[in-house]
Amino acid sequence: MRVFVTGASGWIGSAVVPELIGAGHQVTGLARSDASADSLIAAGANVQRGTIDDLDTLRSAASASDGVIHLAFKHELAFTGDFEGAADADRRAIVTFGDALAGSDRPFVIASGTLGLLPGRVATERDWPDAAALPLWPSGPRARLENAQMTVALASRGVRSSVMRLTPTVHGDGDHGFMATIVGIAGDKGVSGYLGDGSNRWPAVHRLDAARLFRLALEKAPAGSVLHAVADQGVPIRAVAEVIGRHLDLPVASISPEDAAAHFTWLASFLATDSPASSALTRELMGWQPTHPGLIDDLDQGHYFQQSSGTELVSPLPVPSAST
């Protein structure tokens, strides 16, 4: 296929692009900078200069493609106070892609998230947040959820749409997301902390396993599918803290709810969420099996402790208590 990919040079996109090319697809990636364009060319992809705000560019690129994978999201805007603005930009891009692909039965895959989907229970691909709770959500995360629902609904307009829910940590060598940030906080504070008893669980997936599932979704996901890119169903946060403490030679300690915001800053509400998720239905439907290291094994490989923490986030669906 000729595939148009937004966010093609990002953390996940830079794994999706070679996965697609390796399977024989021709990729055109959206690039907003010279550095992004250069990385796409080096990977063997074509380049379309622009941003997700350039709706005419998106429309033209989608119309000329056999399928679209939409990974771009304005994380820097979302996590500096304007999540609603980032979600609105995402919605406009999705509407544009949907209009361009309507009636064609061509594939359209977007990224969403599992975090906060069904707190305290194992979320499946069939689950959506409790409608009664949605009015309590901040407007930005609620809008991002509505974008996912809108994408699923594109199936009724002749688009082979699918929503890929990603885990809060899509880990691997070079990650600057949640795990790297948690490692950085531990180093700064001199203690590897966890909230309460540390039993809160996060699902996880290796970046390369997620990339393969994006390719499979493009190739064969049924219209209106919701897929879970989940390898580890639920890793206790205390287990993460213990690995970090061992590698950094730091004490491992519980952080009280009262001290959580001071210790973990903006990450506190995310870490407080018990949000396990299953991918059993996805594995059966897509024939997908993760083959790369799980989160704890990946942390034990040591690469997270050889890099500085960053702020590029990959969790597309923050929990309701998170700041917008």
Side-chain angles (χ1 to χ4, degrees), residues 13 31 56 70 94 119 128-129 168 184 192 195 219 239 247 273 295 297 299 309 313:
D56 288 341
H70 176 44
I94 291 170
W128 292 91
S192 182
L195 281 174
E219 293 173 345
H247 279 269
T273 304
L295 176 58
D297 287 344
L299 284 167
S309 174
L313 303 179

Side-chain angles (χ1 to χ4, degrees), residues 13-14 16 55 66 86 97 114 132 146 205 235 237 243 247 318:
S14 59
V16 170
L55 301 183
D66 298 315
F97 286 135
T114 65
E146 291 168 352
V205 68
V235 180
I237 297 299
V243 175
H247 279 269

